[in-house]
Amino acid sequence: MGLFRLLQGRSSKDPEKAEQPQEESSESDLYSNIRVEANTMEGDLLFVGKLKYPRGSTAELHQITEASIEESEDPIPVKLRGYNDREKKAVYLEGIIFPKAKHVWQVEQLTVTHIGNDRAFFRLDTNSKALVTKLTGTNAGERPCKLINISVGGARIASECEYWENDRLLLTVKLIEDREPSIMYCQVLRILEKGKDGYEYGCRFLELNEADEEKITQNIYALQRKMRGSST
């Protein structure tokens, strides 16, 4: 009886049966309900959305921004890239999409191509005027700066004022003329000294809720469309 129970216990821990479903679940958890950028296979940004309800090689892509493509019944091959904040992992996927409902795309043949530690967000070069405010400590106060580039995860700014790593700042910038300014709470991650021309800082945004992220995403995307339109 003891030998039978021992063998029964071993069979219940068969790695092929016990570990495989757990592995599939953990991979889909990495990209379930995360914000992703949908790009053409050539790398052109189509729109930003949320990847929902993954099941095997299928999912739904709920569009957040306007799309730079017309809805078509023909499948569109895409590359998707997003970031899982909980796991601190960038996720890259490929698949084909076609419209399912208004602002909802069906994803088929979904596969993970890479999981890494890089911050996988589209970054837009702007060189726009902005304001940066340090609330306390050395060099506290509001000062002008330049917004060099911005993504939903952070920004790079240039300023004549010296700040230090881990300083927390308020960044105020009007990305679109007919919209309200965006105000982002951020932290200095990297410092690049420029001598007489001042400094450049790589900053990440802090304490953004989902509505804040969507507003930044929509403003970035609208600015990109405007910049593309003025260059043609």
Side-chain angles (χ1 to χ4, degrees), residues 33 46 53-54 57 69 76-77 85 94-95 98 117 124 127 135 137 151 162 164 171 186 189 201 229:
N33 209 40
L46 299 175
Y53 317 125
S57 60
I69 51 171
I76 303 170
D85 284 309
E94 291 183 2
F98 51 88
N117 295 318
L124 181 67
N127 206 33
L135 301 178
S151 76
E162 184 176 10
W164 291 267
L171 177 64
C186 59
L189 290 186
Y201 303 97

Side-chain angles (χ1 to χ4, degrees), residues 20-229:
Q20 186 174 357
Q22 186 177 355
E23 184 178 348
E24 293 177 352
S25 175
S26 63
E27 184 176 77
S28 64
D29 285 347
L30 275 175
Y31 56 81
S32 178
N33 209 40
I34 66 171
R35 188 184 312 272
V36 296
E37 296 159 0
N39 299 273
T40 67
M41 301 305 285
E42 292 75 32
D44 294 324
L45 180 65
L46 299 175
F47 60 87
V48 177
K50 271 200 169 181
L51 196 60
K52 295 189 173 185
Y53 317 125
R55 179 174 296 180
S57 60
T58 68
E60 288 183 6
L61 186 53
H62 291 228
Q63 184 179 323
I64 295 174
T65 64
E66 295 180 23
S68 61
I69 51 171
E70 298 293 332
E71 291 190 356
S72 168
E73 293 183 358
D74 296 328
I76 303 170
V78 293
K79 293 182 178 181
L80 307 174
R81 61 179 185 177
Y83 190 78
N84 186 306
D85 284 309
R86 185 184 68 254
E87 300 294 335
K88 307 300 181 187
K89 295 287 185 182
V91 185
Y92 296 80
L93 309 100
E94 291 183 2
I96 59 172
I97 62 172
F98 51 88
K100 181 175 182 179
K102 185 176 181 180
H103 294 156
V104 178
W105 299 76
Q106 179 69 23
V107 187
E108 301 284 347
Q109 301 178 24
L110 184 65
T111 58
V112 176
T113 58
H114 178 66
I115 297 173
N117 295 318
D118 51 314
R119 191 83 177 178
F121 283 129
F122 174 77
R123 192 169 291 274
L124 181 67
D125 294 331
T126 65
N127 206 33
S128 303
K129 293 181 180 179
L131 293 172
V132 62
T133 305
K134 188 179 179 187
L135 301 178
T136 60
T138 306
N139 289 341
E142 182 182 88
R143 291 176 172 81
C145 69
K146 270 192 177 180
L147 179 69
I148 298 174
N149 57 46
I150 186 172
S151 76
V152 72
R156 185 166 183 167
I157 64 171
S159 172
E160 294 181 358
C161 186
E162 184 176 10
Y163 301 111
W164 291 267
E165 189 174 332
N166 295 321
D167 274 355
R168 299 196 173 197
L169 312 169
L170 282 178
L171 177 64
T172 304
V173 60
K174 198 168 187 177
L175 292 171
I176 308 296
E177 284 300 322
D178 58 352
R179 298 187 185 182
E180 291 294 317
S182 296
I183 302 175
M184 287 82 71
Y185 187 43
C186 59
Q187 181 181 33
V188 176
L189 290 186
R190 293 176 299 277
I191 303 169
L192 180 60
E193 191 169 349
K194 287 292 187 179
K196 293 182 180 179
D197 295 329
Y199 307 86
E200 287 187 8
Y201 303 97
C203 304
R204 68 173 176 181
F205 296 143
L206 303 173
E207 301 178 10
L208 293 181
N209 57 36
E210 189 168 335
D212 294 331
E213 290 183 351
E214 291 196 6
K215 181 182 177 182
I216 294 172
T217 300
Q218 289 167 355
N219 284 343
I220 291 173
Y221 192 77
L223 179 60
Q224 184 200 34
R225 288 169 64 90
K226 183 178 179 180
M227 292 169 67
R228 282 182 173 177

